[in-house]
């Protein structure tokens, strides 16, 4: 892609500058930091990793607990099985997850990004592998600037081997959610797995390697949609990582024993440690920025500096815009209450639908070619196709019935058997005496299917019974 440059005309007509639309990425060498928030990130990152890698290995009632069985079009999540008909329920679950994210963002900013987002957690592991192979920040900078040597090649090879190994585990675990993982890990090395499994493992291995190894903060800054719209959910009471400019400025270096006030300085010693630890490479002293993922590593870095200087901690801290300006922070505010109530209502509806779901479905479709026909002595017949779905884990027998019209009877089959997951189209004819229709050309009727072993497992479908109309 060729570089495009466009002239920018400032207010002063004589000054014409240029903006580079395809700015070259500056490599970020992050410095390792220890502290409270770094430990907190470990406590949030490890459970996520354990859940992700351990998830496919869990068993529930004799089968994989979390198994998205695409060929059978069934999603098993512990004891619950979702069928294609449950797609709205799963979509609803995603909406609930999005609302949960909005609610957390209003309350505490981008804590999801800083602590539990897979991009952040996986990137942290890749950074750890990088430090283990290539050393500290300064050593890595020197290594990259040095000409190629055996040692440099060995270190780079070790880093990429670790990245690739972890990516491969990630890819296998991911595919393990879609195909029985216990078979997959045996079949993959023996070249006995199916082609799709190999393709998807390769795809997710490569995606992980590129995202966490190479793209890193670029994903947060340019690819993640959440970063784009999270700013609209912020208000002056949202928890953000902030630099206290009033306390820190004017910044400048000084000796540890020097009195900063006497020297006309604030508490910031301009050591740039907060910039060096930042995974997105920004300077939090420039204010709240789109790139900030609220990981709080700059807080740990600055607190360690404050400790060394014997200054109070918190020059960079979690706070709110209101608190920074000396105004009270309101935790409970209309927007947060609104989001929370909406979230509770949506979760309530989801749970109610989930818990009252019956594992049988029924649709009734009228025969298109014929409205009705007169049969025998004074009987009217309508023909329908009933679509019955067995959404239980076992084969079932169902009784078919019709209600809503006195003396209406089903001609033919009234009991059917379906295998687990089967959808069966059953043609049925309903007959009723003409006088039961009175002068009506159409009366509502209800078809029912009821499991023979459990009357509570039942579904119904509305339809209409048509007749000739007023008797002359
Ligand atoms: S500015 Fe601080 S909180 Fe924001 S991304 Fe950088 S290190 Fe993390
Ligand atoms: S780490 Fe603290 S003292 Fe050092 S530059 Fe950043 S804000 Fe200033």
């Amino acid at each position: 892609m060729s570089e495009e440059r466009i002239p920018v005309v400032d207010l002063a007509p004589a000054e014409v500058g240029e903006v580079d639309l395809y700015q070259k990425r500056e490599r970020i060498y992050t410095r390792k930091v220890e502290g409270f928030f770094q430990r907190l990130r470990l406590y949030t990152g490890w459970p996520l990793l354990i859940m992700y890698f351990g998830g496919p290995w869990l068993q529930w009632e004799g089968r994989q607990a979390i198994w998205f069985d695409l060929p059978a079009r069934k999603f098993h999540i512990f004891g619950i099985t979702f069928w294609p008909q449950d797609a709205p329920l799963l979509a609803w679950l995603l909406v609930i997850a999005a609302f949960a994210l909005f609610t957390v963002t209003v309350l505490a900013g981008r804590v999801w990004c800083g602590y539990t987002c897979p991009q952040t957690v996986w990137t942290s592991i890749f950074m750890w592998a990088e430090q283990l192979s290539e050393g500290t920040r300064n050593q890595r900078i020197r290594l990259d600037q040095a000409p190629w040597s055996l040692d440099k090649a060995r270190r780079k090879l070790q880093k990429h081997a670790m990245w690739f190994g972890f990516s491969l585990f990630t890819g296998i675990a991911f595919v393990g959610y879609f195909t029985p993982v216990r078979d997959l890990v045996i079949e993959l090395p023996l070249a006995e797995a199916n082609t799709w499994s190999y393709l998807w493992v390769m795809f997710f291995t490569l995606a992980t390697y590129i995202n966490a190894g190479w793209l890193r903060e670029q994903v947060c800054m340019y690819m993640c949609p959440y970063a784009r719209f999270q700013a609209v959910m912020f208000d002056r009471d949202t928890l953000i990582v902030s630099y206290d400019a009033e306390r820190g400025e004017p910044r400048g270096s000084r000796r540890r024993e020097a009195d900063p006030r006497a020297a006309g300085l604030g508490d910031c010693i301009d050591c740039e440690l907060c910039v060096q630890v930042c995974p997105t490479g920004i300077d939090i002293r420039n204010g709240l920025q789109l790139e900030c993922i609220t990981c709080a590593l700059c807080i740990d870095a600055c607190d360690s500096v404050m400790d060394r200087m014997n200054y109070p901690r918190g020059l960079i801290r979690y706070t709110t815009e209101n608190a920074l300006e000396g105004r009270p922070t309101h935790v409970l505010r209309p927007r947060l209450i609104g989001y929370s109530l909406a979230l509770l209502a949506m979760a309530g509806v989801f749970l109610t639908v989930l818990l009252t779901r019956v594992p049988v479905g029924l649709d009734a479709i009228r025969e298109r070619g014929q409205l009705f026909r007169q049969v025998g002595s004074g009987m009217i017949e309508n023909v329908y196709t009933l679509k019955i779905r067995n959404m239980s884990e076992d084969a079932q027998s169902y009784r078919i019935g019709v209600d809503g019209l006195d003396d209406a009877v089903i001609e033919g089959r009234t009991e059917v058997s379906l295998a687990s997951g089967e959808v069966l189209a059953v043609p049925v004819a309903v007959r009723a005496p003409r006088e039961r229709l009175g002068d009506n050309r159409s009366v509502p009727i209800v078809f029912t299917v009821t499991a023979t072993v459990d009357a509570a497992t039942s579904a119904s479908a509305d339809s209409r019974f048509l007749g000739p109309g007023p008797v002359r």
Side-chain angles (χ1 to χ4, degrees):
M1 194 186 315
S2 66
E3 287 202 344
E4 186 182 340
R5 285 171 181 274
I6 57 169
V8 174
V9 182
D10 205 352
L11 286 177
E15 293 174 26
V16 178
E18 281 191 338
V19 170
D20 189 349
L21 289 182
Y22 301 103
Q23 208 173 16
K24 195 167 179 291
R25 177 191 176 194
E26 274 187 36
R27 181 135 191 227
I28 297 170
Y29 294 89
T30 49
R31 183 186 285 273
K32 190 174 171 214
V33 63
E34 302 284 348
F36 173 78
F37 292 105
Q38 168 61 7
R39 282 196 298 282
L40 195 59
R41 275 156 52 92
L42 287 181
Y43 299 140
T44 53
W46 272 110
L48 181 85
L49 288 171
I50 292 168
M51 268 161 46
Y52 175 76
F53 286 107
W57 294 91
L58 291 176
Q59 292 284 300
W60 188 270
E61 293 174 352
R63 64 145 193 265
Q64 195 165 308
I66 306 171
W67 179 17
F68 305 122
D69 188 357
L70 290 180
R73 290 186 287 172
K74 287 194 265 186
F75 288 181
H76 303 286
I77 300 175
F78 293 91
I80 305 169
T81 299
F82 292 94
W83 302 84
Q85 296 75 20
D86 294 319
L89 210 54
L90 291 174
W92 191 239
L93 193 61
L94 291 180
V95 173
I96 291 174
F99 248 80
L101 191 60
F102 298 163
T103 311
V104 170
T105 306
V106 171
L107 182 68
R110 292 176 71 178
V111 283
W112 161 260
C113 300
Y115 295 88
T116 41
C117 173
Q119 177 67 22
T120 304
V121 175
W122 261 249
T123 301
S124 303
I125 290 165
F126 276 49
M127 284 178 173
W128 167 80
E130 193 167 61
Q131 278 162 12
L132 202 71
S133 310
E134 299 180 356
T136 61
R137 176 176 187 269
N138 291 343
Q139 287 169 329
R140 294 202 305 276
I141 294 173
R142 278 201 299 275
L143 188 74
D144 279 355
Q145 288 167 350
W148 277 99
S149 64
L150 259 182
D151 180 57
K152 181 170 177 173
R154 182 190 63 76
R155 286 173 183 276
K156 294 279 175 196
L157 197 68
Q158 179 184 332
K159 176 181 83 172
H160 287 287
M162 289 175 80
W163 283 5
F164 185 79
F166 195 70
S167 302
L168 185 63
F169 281 130
T170 305
I172 293 173
F174 191 88
V175 175
Y177 282 97
F178 294 86
T179 189
V181 74
R182 284 157 201 257
D183 298 335
L184 183 72
V185 293
I186 295 168
E187 290 167 0
L188 278 176
L190 297 176
E192 288 175 0
N194 67 51
T195 313
W196 285 111
S197 296
Y198 285 106
L199 285 176
W200 283 114
V201 167
M202 273 163 53
F203 176 78
F204 283 104
T205 301
L206 207 63
T208 309
Y209 180 77
I210 292 172
N211 275 343
W214 295 94
L215 294 178
R216 296 190 176 177
E217 79 288 347
Q218 307 280 307
V219 175
C220 310
M221 285 157 63
Y222 302 116
M223 292 161 70
C224 175
Y226 175 54
R228 307 278 127 197
F229 63 73
Q230 46 89 22
V232 298
M233 283 173 260
F234 277 29
D235 58 28
R236 303 185 72 81
D237 293 306
T238 298
L239 210 56
I240 48 173
V241 173
S242 256
Y243 166 70
D244 188 344
E246 196 153 318
R247 183 184 145 192
E249 301 295 322
R251 65 187 79 163
S253 58
R254 79 288 309 261
R255 289 202 319 278
R256 195 193 311 200
E257 58 278 8
D259 177 2
R261 304 294 172 256
L265 291 170
D267 280 355
C268 175
I269 67 169
D270 206 13
C271 61
E272 298 227 322
L273 212 61
C274 51
V275 182
Q276 291 171 11
V277 299
C278 177
T280 61
I282 58 169
D283 188 341
I284 192 67
R285 294 174 299 171
N286 295 336
L288 181 63
Q289 291 150 75
L290 174 79
E291 295 88 343
C292 177
I293 57 168
T294 326
C295 66
L297 292 180
C298 53
I299 299 183
D300 281 339
C302 191
D303 280 350
S304 70
V305 175
M306 295 296 107
D307 288 350
R308 279 206 300 278
M309 298 299 291
N310 285 325
Y311 297 166
R313 288 180 163 204
L315 178 57
I316 301 176
R317 62 181 181 274
Y318 269 114
T319 186
T320 67
E321 270 189 82
N322 271 340
L324 271 179
E325 291 164 9
R327 286 192 288 267
T329 294
H330 310 95
V331 178
L332 282 182
R333 47 203 194 272
R335 187 193 292 213
L336 183 64
I337 294 171
Y339 273 126
S340 305
L341 288 178
L343 184 62
L344 277 177
M346 287 193 294
V349 170
F350 177 81
L351 282 177
T352 308
V353 173
L354 190 68
L355 296 176
T356 55
R357 211 167 54 122
V358 285
V360 59
L362 176 66
D363 290 317
I365 305 151
R366 278 190 51 80
E367 177 72 48
R368 288 215 182 120
Q370 186 186 52
L371 295 179
F372 63 90
R373 78 187 175 111
Q374 302 206 15
V375 288
S377 52
M379 297 294 276
I380 305 293
E381 182 183 271
N382 282 208
V383 179
Y384 306 82
T385 300
L386 301 185
K387 278 203 169 165
I388 306 170
R389 296 180 297 278
N390 175 8
M391 296 186 288
S392 74
E393 290 297 293
D394 308 300
Q396 295 281 355
S397 292
Y398 299 100
R399 246 189 313 275
I400 303 171
V402 64
D403 293 319
L405 180 59
D406 288 344
D407 298 328
V409 290
I410 292 176
E411 288 295 312
R413 274 210 293 180
T414 54
E415 198 165 315
V416 289
S417 295
L418 275 75
S420 168
E422 188 181 352
V423 180
L424 187 67
V426 185
V428 293
V430 177
R431 286 183 186 176
R434 178 178 177 160
E435 63 268 21
R436 294 293 179 212
L437 290 166
D439 287 344
N440 298 312
R441 286 186 187 280
S442 161
V443 291
I445 56 170
V446 181
F447 285 101
T448 57
V449 285
T450 309
T452 50
V453 290
D454 175 17
T457 304
S458 163
S460 61
D462 294 336
S463 191
R464 299 199 76 82
F465 190 91
L466 305 185
V471 184
R472 292 179 219 292

Short mmCIF file of all heavy atoms in Angstrom, two decimals, residues 89-113:
data_model
loop_
_atom_site.label_atom_id
_atom_site.label_comp_id
_atom_site.label_asym_id
_atom_site.label_seq_id
_atom_site.Cartn_x
_atom_site.Cartn_y
_atom_site.Cartn_z
N LEU A 89 -33.05 -17.85 22.14
CA LEU A 89 -32.63 -17.87 23.55
C LEU A 89 -31.13 -17.58 23.66
O LEU A 89 -30.69 -16.83 24.53
CB LEU A 89 -32.96 -19.26 24.12
CG LEU A 89 -33.29 -19.37 25.59
CD1 LEU A 89 -34.40 -18.44 25.99
CD2 LEU A 89 -33.67 -20.80 25.93
N LEU A 90 -30.35 -18.18 22.75
CA LEU A 90 -28.91 -17.95 22.77
C LEU A 90 -28.59 -16.50 22.38
O LEU A 90 -27.69 -15.87 22.93
CB LEU A 90 -28.20 -18.93 21.83
CG LEU A 90 -28.23 -20.39 22.31
CD1 LEU A 90 -27.63 -21.30 21.27
CD2 LEU A 90 -27.46 -20.53 23.62
N ALA A 91 -29.36 -15.97 21.41
CA ALA A 91 -29.16 -14.57 21.01
C ALA A 91 -29.49 -13.66 22.20
O ALA A 91 -28.78 -12.68 22.46
CB ALA A 91 -30.06 -14.24 19.82
N TRP A 92 -30.52 -14.03 22.94
CA TRP A 92 -30.92 -13.27 24.13
C TRP A 92 -29.80 -13.28 25.17
O TRP A 92 -29.51 -12.29 25.82
CB TRP A 92 -32.21 -13.89 24.68
CG TRP A 92 -32.92 -13.11 25.74
CD1 TRP A 92 -33.20 -13.51 27.01
CD2 TRP A 92 -33.45 -11.78 25.62
NE1 TRP A 92 -33.86 -12.54 27.69
CE2 TRP A 92 -34.03 -11.47 26.87
CE3 TRP A 92 -33.48 -10.84 24.61
CZ2 TRP A 92 -34.63 -10.24 27.11
CZ3 TRP A 92 -34.07 -9.62 24.85
CH2 TRP A 92 -34.65 -9.33 26.09
N LEU A 93 -29.13 -14.45 25.27
CA LEU A 93 -28.02 -14.58 26.21
C LEU A 93 -26.88 -13.62 25.83
O LEU A 93 -26.25 -13.00 26.69
CB LEU A 93 -27.52 -16.03 26.20
CG LEU A 93 -26.57 -16.43 27.32
CD1 LEU A 93 -27.24 -16.29 28.68
CD2 LEU A 93 -26.12 -17.88 27.13
N LEU A 94 -26.64 -13.48 24.54
CA LEU A 94 -25.59 -12.56 24.08
C LEU A 94 -25.97 -11.12 24.39
O LEU A 94 -25.13 -10.30 24.78
CB LEU A 94 -25.35 -12.72 22.57
CG LEU A 94 -24.71 -14.04 22.14
CD1 LEU A 94 -24.54 -14.08 20.64
CD2 LEU A 94 -23.36 -14.23 22.83
N VAL A 95 -27.27 -10.80 24.24
CA VAL A 95 -27.73 -9.44 24.57
C VAL A 95 -27.52 -9.18 26.06
O VAL A 95 -27.06 -8.10 26.46
CB VAL A 95 -29.22 -9.28 24.18
CG1 VAL A 95 -29.76 -7.94 24.66
CG2 VAL A 95 -29.41 -9.39 22.67
N ILE A 96 -27.81 -10.19 26.89
CA ILE A 96 -27.62 -10.05 28.34
C ILE A 96 -26.14 -9.80 28.65
O ILE A 96 -25.78 -8.93 29.44
CB ILE A 96 -28.12 -11.30 29.09
CG1 ILE A 96 -29.65 -11.37 28.97
CG2 ILE A 96 -27.71 -11.28 30.54
CD1 ILE A 96 -30.25 -12.64 29.54
N ALA A 97 -25.26 -10.56 27.96
CA ALA A 97 -23.81 -10.40 28.18
C ALA A 97 -23.38 -8.98 27.79
O ALA A 97 -22.59 -8.34 28.50
CB ALA A 97 -23.04 -11.43 27.37
N ALA A 98 -23.92 -8.47 26.68
CA ALA A 98 -23.57 -7.11 26.25
C ALA A 98 -24.05 -6.10 27.28
O ALA A 98 -23.31 -5.17 27.64
CB ALA A 98 -24.20 -6.83 24.88
N PHE A 99 -25.26 -6.28 27.81
CA PHE A 99 -25.79 -5.35 28.80
C PHE A 99 -24.98 -5.42 30.10
O PHE A 99 -24.77 -4.41 30.77
CB PHE A 99 -27.27 -5.63 29.06
CG PHE A 99 -28.13 -4.52 28.57
CD1 PHE A 99 -28.45 -4.42 27.22
CD2 PHE A 99 -28.60 -3.54 29.43
CE1 PHE A 99 -29.22 -3.39 26.75
CE2 PHE A 99 -29.37 -2.49 28.97
CZ PHE A 99 -29.69 -2.41 27.62
N ALA A 100 -24.53 -6.63 30.45
CA ALA A 100 -23.69 -6.77 31.65
C ALA A 100 -22.41 -5.96 31.46
O ALA A 100 -21.93 -5.28 32.38
CB ALA A 100 -23.37 -8.24 31.90
N LEU A 101 -21.87 -6.02 30.24
CA LEU A 101 -20.64 -5.27 29.94
C LEU A 101 -20.90 -3.76 30.03
O LEU A 101 -20.10 -3.01 30.59
CB LEU A 101 -20.15 -5.65 28.54
CG LEU A 101 -18.76 -5.17 28.15
CD1 LEU A 101 -17.71 -5.72 29.08
CD2 LEU A 101 -18.43 -5.58 26.72
N PHE A 102 -22.05 -3.33 29.51
CA PHE A 102 -22.39 -1.89 29.59
C PHE A 102 -22.49 -1.46 31.06
O PHE A 102 -21.98 -0.41 31.44
CB PHE A 102 -23.73 -1.61 28.91
CG PHE A 102 -23.76 -1.92 27.44
CD1 PHE A 102 -24.96 -2.06 26.77
CD2 PHE A 102 -22.59 -2.07 26.72
CE1 PHE A 102 -25.00 -2.35 25.41
CE2 PHE A 102 -22.62 -2.38 25.37
CZ PHE A 102 -23.83 -2.51 24.72
N THR A 103 -23.15 -2.30 31.87
CA THR A 103 -23.37 -1.93 33.27
C THR A 103 -22.03 -1.80 34.00
O THR A 103 -21.80 -0.84 34.73
CB THR A 103 -24.24 -3.01 33.96
OG1 THR A 103 -25.38 -3.26 33.14
CG2 THR A 103 -24.70 -2.56 35.32
N VAL A 104 -21.16 -2.79 33.76
CA VAL A 104 -19.84 -2.75 34.41
C VAL A 104 -19.05 -1.52 33.93
O VAL A 104 -18.35 -0.88 34.70
CB VAL A 104 -19.07 -4.06 34.13
CG1 VAL A 104 -17.63 -3.96 34.57
CG2 VAL A 104 -19.74 -5.22 34.84
N THR A 105 -19.19 -1.20 32.64
CA THR A 105 -18.45 -0.06 32.09
C THR A 105 -18.90 1.25 32.72
O THR A 105 -18.08 2.10 33.06
CB THR A 105 -18.64 0.01 30.56
OG1 THR A 105 -18.28 -1.25 30.00
CG2 THR A 105 -17.77 1.10 29.94
N VAL A 106 -20.21 1.41 32.91
CA VAL A 106 -20.70 2.64 33.55
C VAL A 106 -20.13 2.75 34.96
O VAL A 106 -19.72 3.82 35.40
CB VAL A 106 -22.26 2.63 33.59
CG1 VAL A 106 -22.77 3.79 34.43
CG2 VAL A 106 -22.83 2.71 32.19
N LEU A 107 -20.06 1.61 35.65
CA LEU A 107 -19.61 1.63 37.04
C LEU A 107 -18.09 1.78 37.15
O LEU A 107 -17.59 2.62 37.90
CB LEU A 107 -20.05 0.32 37.72
CG LEU A 107 -19.70 0.19 39.19
CD1 LEU A 107 -20.50 1.19 40.01
CD2 LEU A 107 -19.98 -1.22 39.69
N ALA A 108 -17.37 0.96 36.39
CA ALA A 108 -15.92 0.86 36.64
C ALA A 108 -15.09 0.96 35.36
O ALA A 108 -13.97 0.44 35.31
CB ALA A 108 -15.62 -0.44 37.37
N GLY A 109 -15.61 1.60 34.33
CA GLY A 109 -14.84 1.80 33.11
C GLY A 109 -14.48 0.49 32.43
O GLY A 109 -15.25 -0.47 32.48
N ARG A 110 -13.27 0.44 31.86
CA ARG A 110 -12.91 -0.73 31.05
C ARG A 110 -12.22 -1.83 31.87
O ARG A 110 -11.19 -2.35 31.48
CB ARG A 110 -12.01 -0.29 29.90
CG ARG A 110 -12.74 0.55 28.89
CD ARG A 110 -11.82 1.05 27.83
NE ARG A 110 -11.37 0.00 26.92
CZ ARG A 110 -10.58 0.22 25.88
NH1 ARG A 110 -10.17 1.45 25.62
NH2 ARG A 110 -10.21 -0.77 25.10
N VAL A 111 -12.79 -2.18 33.04
CA VAL A 111 -12.15 -3.23 33.84
C VAL A 111 -12.15 -4.56 33.11
O VAL A 111 -11.25 -5.37 33.29
CB VAL A 111 -12.79 -3.41 35.23
CG1 VAL A 111 -12.37 -2.34 36.18
CG2 VAL A 111 -14.29 -3.50 35.14
N TRP A 112 -13.17 -4.77 32.29
CA TRP A 112 -13.20 -6.02 31.50
C TRP A 112 -11.93 -6.10 30.66
O TRP A 112 -11.25 -7.12 30.62
CB TRP A 112 -14.46 -6.06 30.63
CG TRP A 112 -14.35 -7.04 29.50
CD1 TRP A 112 -14.05 -6.75 28.20
CD2 TRP A 112 -14.47 -8.46 29.56
NE1 TRP A 112 -14.00 -7.90 27.45
CE2 TRP A 112 -14.26 -8.97 28.26
CE3 TRP A 112 -14.76 -9.36 30.59
CZ2 TRP A 112 -14.31 -10.33 27.97
CZ3 TRP A 112 -14.80 -10.72 30.29
CH2 TRP A 112 -14.58 -11.18 29.00
N CYS A 113 -11.60 -4.97 29.97
CA CYS A 113 -10.43 -4.97 29.08
C CYS A 113 -9.15 -5.23 29.88
O CYS A 113 -8.30 -6.00 29.47
CB CYS A 113 -10.29 -3.60 28.40
SG CYS A 113 -11.68 -3.14 27.41
#
